[in-house]
């Protein structure tokens, strides 16, 4: 039973009643069980809500933190804003968790879901796509046809309603709007605009679900509808708060992308030919902007050729070069010329004033990057095969969050399963400007010593040795063979991902093992997860996944290994026996040559602090907890965590990293690890 404080108000008592064994939650769900950790967290949040103050709460897997914050937030009878890390988590909150809690508590609250404009169908751009879009292949043609059919019946316009629509589909940018190309109230489809409808519903609702990117996009741009919403809210909740700082940093800075310029040129050409043919030489203007953008990309790349993926370059490596400065100046001049041409025809059609604003804004960004950066910001250049992005960013979100916390009294709730490895949760609270906030750590109720083992091989190649990826693959192959698949291999780099994936395939083929290797990038994340579950006999619908139908799938139980990088370290929930082994290739330290990492290290060192202990080890501890968290998802789950990095066993900081993990029992040898997996497989087969 959670202890009452002498100064507790009626909200805490209402929360205790709701979570009691015969309370509202138990009456609504016959499977409900009272959990002391969940009630403790819910009461702490209720006190923060009553006092209108911030609280930072780390809640281990299985605590039930979603209900622990929703129940006091709804019972407080004020307006609530919930922000989470991804659109899929938004959907889960809005469609499942919130309605369940609302109905259980019998609270007649109105719910709303608000995403960024890129998530909603734009009726005007759909019409344009019908008339003029050039689609790359028959799959895109089919996708557009599906969207057109769905557009006739959808009420929300949220593209998430369309099952099987790949997030990477080239059709999505053609049928959604962006801040750059939205015509606003001048749009012929404005009255039926799905984005504006979603914003109106959010302003009228009692509980609104957003995501971190949308929250910070509004702080930076003031155009997502949050500016009107936030002042009227009594409780703000950030779930998956460990992603908050990086989401904020990406939006609170300034970016100039050559792809933005090329898109602008193409939109200008299309509008010019449609509405003002012959009034200006639109083809020449667009071609000049595109050439200037491509020249800037070449100057930014410098000697780099055949770039794969995205590379991050230090600003100082390019900023002083004459060809880079000249390319920026030339781009600025072409954008100013385009802006003048667009201003001259502004009265002809509503497209032109918006295009003129885009040109002026892009030109303003080129001038920003021609000047010296302010202290307290960091600049870098992202280079890919298609574009260059010049980025200026703050080092953290301290200033932005403090401004919000001081703006008006309200309760601010920050929660996640991983927020640091000390009692003050300083990994999160310091960069978020929450040094004075109350902190709380609630451990997982799971019996980790009985159900989980951790193995760190001592005699193993070091991560910087060429033999390391092959050794990881060899060990992972043995583990997966013992477990019958049921294995995730989580890598810290995309390069290791490919090397380990290839080596695993070769080993399984050579040994004749029917274990499939699923590698990130071979298909969308959702499809890979569906395939992994199907290989282990889990019930899952493959109707829209793009894989063969169940009749042509290999027999269940033949197993699979999924090899994934950053995107699979968190947000993946595989309860039960389908996942019983997680292999991590090496300790997830931040890349030391990343410009943002370098700038943060310089700041710590300038303050006389130990950057390795306070930044690198702290970051690794949090990332390691995230990866390890994939293993045990329910009270009955069992499994093995393997960290293929001998530094964790022999270096002094290894003890700190081990202590950051759930209290799994350590095994000393490879044979003990294999024996544990064989035992789990045999016991699973016997049930």
């Amino acid at each position: 039973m959670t202890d009452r404080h002498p100064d507790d108000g009626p909200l805490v008592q209402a929360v205790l009643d709701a979570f009691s064994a015969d309370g509202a939650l138990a009456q609504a769900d016959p499977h409900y069980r009272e959990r002391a950790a969940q009630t403790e967290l819910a009461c702490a949040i209720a006190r923060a809500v009553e006092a209108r103050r911030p609280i930072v709460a780390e809640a281990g897997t299985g605590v039930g933190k979603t209900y622990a914050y929703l129940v006091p937030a709804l019972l407080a009878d004020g307006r609530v804003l919930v922000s989470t890390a991804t659109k899929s988590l938004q959907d889960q909150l809005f469609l499942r968790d919130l309605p369940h809690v609302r109905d259980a508590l019998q609270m007649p609250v109105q719910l709303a879901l608000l995403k960024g404009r890129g998530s909603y169908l734009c009726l005007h751009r759909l019409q344009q796509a019908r008339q003029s879009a050039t689609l790359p292949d028959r799959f895109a043609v089919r996708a557009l046809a599906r969207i057109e059919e769905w557009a006739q019946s959808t009420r929300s316009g949220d593209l998430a309603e369309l099952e099987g629509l790949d997030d990477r589909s080239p059709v999505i940018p053609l049928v959604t709007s962006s801040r750059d190309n939205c015509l606003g109230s001048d749009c012929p489809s404005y009255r039926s605009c799905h984005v504006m409808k979603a914003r109106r519903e959010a302003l009228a609702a009692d509980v609104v679900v957003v995501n971190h990117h949308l929250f910070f996009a509004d702080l930076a741009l003031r155009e997502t509808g949050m500016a009107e919403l936030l002042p009227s809210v009594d409780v703000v909740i950030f779930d998956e708060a460990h992603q908050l700082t990086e989401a904020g940093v990406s939006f609170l800075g300034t970016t100039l992308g050559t792809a933005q310029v090329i898109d602008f040129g193409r939109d200008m050409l299309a509008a010019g030919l449609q509405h003002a043919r012959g009034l200006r030489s639109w083809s020449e203007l667009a071609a000049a902007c595109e050439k200037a953008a491509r020249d800037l990309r070449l100057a930014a790349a410098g000697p780099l050729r055949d770039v794969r993926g995205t590379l991050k370059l230090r600003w100082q490596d390019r900023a002083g070069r004459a060809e880079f400065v000249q390319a920026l100046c030339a781009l600025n001049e072409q954008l100013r010329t385009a802006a003048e041409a667009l201003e001259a025809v502004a009265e002809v059609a509503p497209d032109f004033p918006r295009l003129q604003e885009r040109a002026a804004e892009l030109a303003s960004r080129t001038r920003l990057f021609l000047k010296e950066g302010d202290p307290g910001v960091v600049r870098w250049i992202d280079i890919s095969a298609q574009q260059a992005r010049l980025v200026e960013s703050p080092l953290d979100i301290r200033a932005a969050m403090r401004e919000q916390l001081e703006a008006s009294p309200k309760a601010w709730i920050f929660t996640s399963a991983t927020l640091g490895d000390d009692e003050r949760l300083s990994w999160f609270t310091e960069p978020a400007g929450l040094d004075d906030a109350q902190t709380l750590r609630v451990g997982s109720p799971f019996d980790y010593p009985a159900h989980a083992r951790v193995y760190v091989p001592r005699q193993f190649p070091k991560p910087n040795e060429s033999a390391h990826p092959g050794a990881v693959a060899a060990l992972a192959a043995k583990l997966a063979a013992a477990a019958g698949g049921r294995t995730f291999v989580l890598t810290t780099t995309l390069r290791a991902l490919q090397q380990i994936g290839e080596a695993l395939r070769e080993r399984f083929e050579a040994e004749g093992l029917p274990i499939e290797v699923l590698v990130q990038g071979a298909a969308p994340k959702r499809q890979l997860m569906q395939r992994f579950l199907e290989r282990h006999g889990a019930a899952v619908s493959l109707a829209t996944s793009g894989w063969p139908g169940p009749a042509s799938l290999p027999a269940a139980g033949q197993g699979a290994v999924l090899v994934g990088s950053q995107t699979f370290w968190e947000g993946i929930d595989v309860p039960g026996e389908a996942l019983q082994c997680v292999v991590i290739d090496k300790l997830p330290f931040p890349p030391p040559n990343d410009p943002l990492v370098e700038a943060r290290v310089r700041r710590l060192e300038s303050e006389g602090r130990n950057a390795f202990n306070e930044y690198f080890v702290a970051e690794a501890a949090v990332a390691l907890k995230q990866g390890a968290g994939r293993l045990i998802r329910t009270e009955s789950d069992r499994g093995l965590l393997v960290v293929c990095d001998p530094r964790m066993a022999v270096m002094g900081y290894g003890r700190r990293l081990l202590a950051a993990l759930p209290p799994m029992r350590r095994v000393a040898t490879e044979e003990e690890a294999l024996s544990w997996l064989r035992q789990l497989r045999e016991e699973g087969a016997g049930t």
Side-chain angles (χ1 to χ4, degrees):
M1 177 79 178
T2 298
D3 294 333
R4 289 289 311 270
H5 294 185
D7 56 347
D8 279 347
L11 179 59
V12 175
Q13 185 58 56
V15 166
L16 286 169
D17 292 344
F19 281 100
S20 67
D22 58 352
L25 296 176
Q27 292 175 30
D29 181 0
H31 301 293
Y32 173 80
R33 263 191 325 108
E34 191 176 4
R35 285 175 280 184
Q38 186 179 47
T39 307
E40 178 189 359
L41 176 60
C43 286
I45 290 172
R47 294 182 187 109
V49 170
E50 285 189 316
R52 290 185 170 245
R53 56 174 167 76
I55 181 172
V56 179
E58 181 182 83
T61 306
V63 167
K65 64 181 171 63
T66 304
Y67 281 25
Y69 66 69
L70 287 180
V71 169
L74 266 61
L75 287 174
D77 200 23
R79 298 198 75 201
V80 181
L81 179 73
V82 184
S83 179
T84 190
T86 64
K87 290 186 286 187
S88 59
L89 288 172
Q90 268 188 278
D91 290 333
Q92 178 179 307
L93 267 170
F94 179 72
L95 297 171
R96 188 186 73 184
D97 299 330
L98 261 169
H100 186 89
V101 174
R102 176 195 61 190
D103 295 345
L105 299 177
Q106 298 182 15
M107 298 288 292
V109 294
Q110 186 175 343
L111 311 178
L113 180 68
L114 184 61
K115 300 179 181 179
R117 62 169 69 250
S119 295
Y120 297 99
L121 175 68
C122 173
L123 298 171
H124 177 57
R125 288 182 61 78
L126 175 62
Q127 185 176 10
Q128 289 181 321
R130 284 194 198 105
Q131 296 169 352
S132 59
T134 303
L135 301 175
D137 52 43
R138 58 188 174 89
F139 299 107
V141 173
R142 288 178 187 169
L144 181 59
R146 282 191 64 208
I147 291 170
E148 287 190 273
E149 182 180 356
W150 164 77
Q152 305 303 313
S153 59
T154 181
R155 179 182 170 276
S156 72
D158 186 347
L159 290 168
E161 292 178 356
L162 269 168
E163 279 196 40
L165 180 64
D166 190 342
D167 289 342
R168 303 172 296 182
S169 170
V171 174
I172 292 177
L174 299 177
V175 299
T176 58
S177 68
S178 68
R179 178 172 176 262
D180 287 338
N181 59 35
C182 176
L183 299 179
S185 57
D186 292 325
C187 178
S189 301
Y190 183 75
R191 290 174 64 85
S192 51
C193 174
H194 291 300
V195 172
M196 297 310 299
K197 182 172 180 291
R199 291 181 185 171
R200 287 193 299 270
E201 290 179 352
L203 288 170
D206 303 297
V207 183
V208 184
V209 183
V210 301
N211 59 62
H212 303 341
H213 289 93
L214 186 70
F215 180 85
F216 283 108
D218 187 74
L219 294 192
L221 305 172
R222 305 289 180 185
E223 66 90 46
T224 67
M226 295 278 293
E228 299 90 352
L229 179 64
L230 195 56
S232 67
V233 165
D234 302 292
V235 181
V236 181
I237 300 166
F238 291 100
D239 196 354
E240 300 297 310
H242 65 280
Q243 294 193 25
L244 198 62
T245 296
E246 296 310 313
V249 162
S250 68
F251 272 94
L252 295 175
T254 301
T255 301
L256 173 65
T258 56
Q260 288 176 290
V261 178
I262 291 170
D263 287 344
F264 157 74
R266 290 173 180 168
D267 288 347
M268 175 176 62
L269 176 61
L273 294 179
Q274 182 178 357
H275 301 296
R277 186 185 294 269
L279 297 183
R280 288 292 186 275
S281 181
W282 301 111
S283 297
E284 290 181 14
L285 285 166
C289 287
E290 184 166 339
K291 181 181 184 303
R294 296 194 186 283
D295 287 347
L296 177 59
R297 192 258 167 213
L298 289 172
L304 296 173
R305 297 290 182 268
D306 191 28
V307 177
R308 296 182 182 181
T310 300
L311 299 178
K312 234 175 195 177
L313 307 179
R314 295 181 182 88
W315 180 255
Q316 56 268 33
D317 291 346
R318 297 289 184 269
R321 295 191 174 194
E323 62 270 25
F324 182 72
V325 174
Q326 289 166 5
L328 260 177
C329 289
L331 178 57
N332 178 54
E333 187 59 33
Q334 294 302 335
L335 288 166
R336 288 175 59 191
T337 300
E340 290 169 4
L342 290 161
E343 189 175 19
V345 295
E347 304 294 329
V348 175
D351 304 66
F352 293 124
R354 190 70 192 97
L355 285 164
Q356 192 271 334
E357 290 174 17
R358 285 172 66 183
E361 173 62 25
L362 289 168
S364 173
R365 294 184 198 179
T366 63
R367 292 192 293 276
L368 171 75
F369 285 106
L370 283 166
K371 300 174 185 175
E372 289 290 324
D374 293 331
V377 301
V378 59
R379 287 180 175 178
W380 70 87
I381 303 172
D382 288 332
I383 291 287
S384 68
Q386 290 77 34
Q387 72 159 325
R389 294 172 69 250
L390 315 187
V391 184
E392 180 179 279
S393 169
L395 300 186
D396 54 37
I397 60 172
R398 290 178 70 85
M401 288 307 302
R402 281 180 170 172
E403 180 183 347
Q404 293 302 311
L405 265 64
E406 293 167 2
S408 61
K410 55 171 61 77
W412 295 82
I413 317 299
F414 303 85
T415 184
S416 172
T418 50
L419 289 173
D421 67 333
D422 63 348
E423 288 303 315
R424 285 297 306 154
L425 302 173
S426 51
W427 173 86
F428 174 75
T429 54
E430 184 175 327
L434 294 163
D435 312 73
D436 300 328
Q438 177 194 354
T439 57
L440 174 69
R441 302 181 80 187
V442 182
S444 170
F446 296 163
D447 188 354
Y448 282 98
H451 290 175
R453 305 287 185 269
V454 58
Y455 172 50
V456 182
R458 285 176 169 266
Q459 305 302 318
F460 206 81
K462 294 177 182 176
N464 60 352
E465 294 177 359
S466 60
H468 185 261
V472 173
L475 178 56
K478 293 179 187 177
L479 296 165
R486 308 178 192 280
T487 299
F488 274 10
V489 180
L490 302 178
T491 71
T492 56
T493 65
L494 292 174
R495 182 180 180 187
L497 173 95
Q498 298 300 332
Q499 291 175 316
I500 292 170
E502 286 294 324
L504 275 170
R505 281 197 188 97
E506 291 171 3
R507 283 184 171 271
F508 290 145
E509 287 174 7
E511 295 170 18
L513 290 174
I515 297 176
E516 185 174 5
V517 180
L518 305 168
V519 179
Q520 177 184 323
K525 181 177 178 179
R526 177 174 170 270
Q527 292 180 16
L528 290 173
M529 285 305 306
Q530 286 179 312
R531 181 64 165 179
F532 182 87
L533 292 168
E534 179 68 25
R535 290 286 290 189
H536 295 104
V540 60
S541 169
L542 297 181
T544 59
S545 71
W547 292 98
S552 59
L553 284 169
Q558 290 187 341
V561 176
L562 193 150
V563 187
S565 190
Q566 185 176 8
T567 186
F568 283 92
W569 280 69
E570 57 182 284
I572 299 292
D573 191 16
V574 186
E577 296 181 0
L579 177 61
Q580 294 192 321
C581 182
V582 171
V583 180
I584 292 174
D585 72 331
K586 62 181 179 181
L587 294 176
F589 289 116
N593 58 349
D594 182 294
L596 188 55
V597 172
E598 288 180 338
R600 288 170 173 167
V601 167
R602 283 195 301 270
R603 182 171 67 179
L604 287 169
E605 291 176 343
S606 72
E607 297 169 355
R609 298 164 67 178
N610 185 316
F612 182 74
N613 284 332
E614 295 194 42
Y615 183 64
F616 285 97
V617 178
E619 289 279 335
V622 169
L624 197 61
K625 285 169 73 174
Q626 282 290 338
R630 300 316 98 214
L631 185 63
I632 304 296
R633 306 301 298 173
T634 72
E635 290 178 344
S636 60
D637 284 2
R638 297 185 296 172
L640 171 73
L641 172 69
V642 181
V643 183
C644 301
D645 193 328
R647 294 175 296 179
M648 193 165 176
V650 300
M651 302 300 288
Y653 57 78
R655 289 191 294 274
R656 176 178 168 186
L657 294 175
L658 274 169
L661 294 173
M664 304 175 181
R665 188 180 302 174
R666 288 190 68 179
V667 295
T669 67
E670 181 180 308
E671 185 48 46
E672 283 183 79
L674 293 169
S675 176
W676 171 244
L677 288 177
R678 293 189 195 105
Q679 176 187 332
L680 296 185
R681 187 178 183 184
E682 289 167 5
E683 291 176 359
T687 57

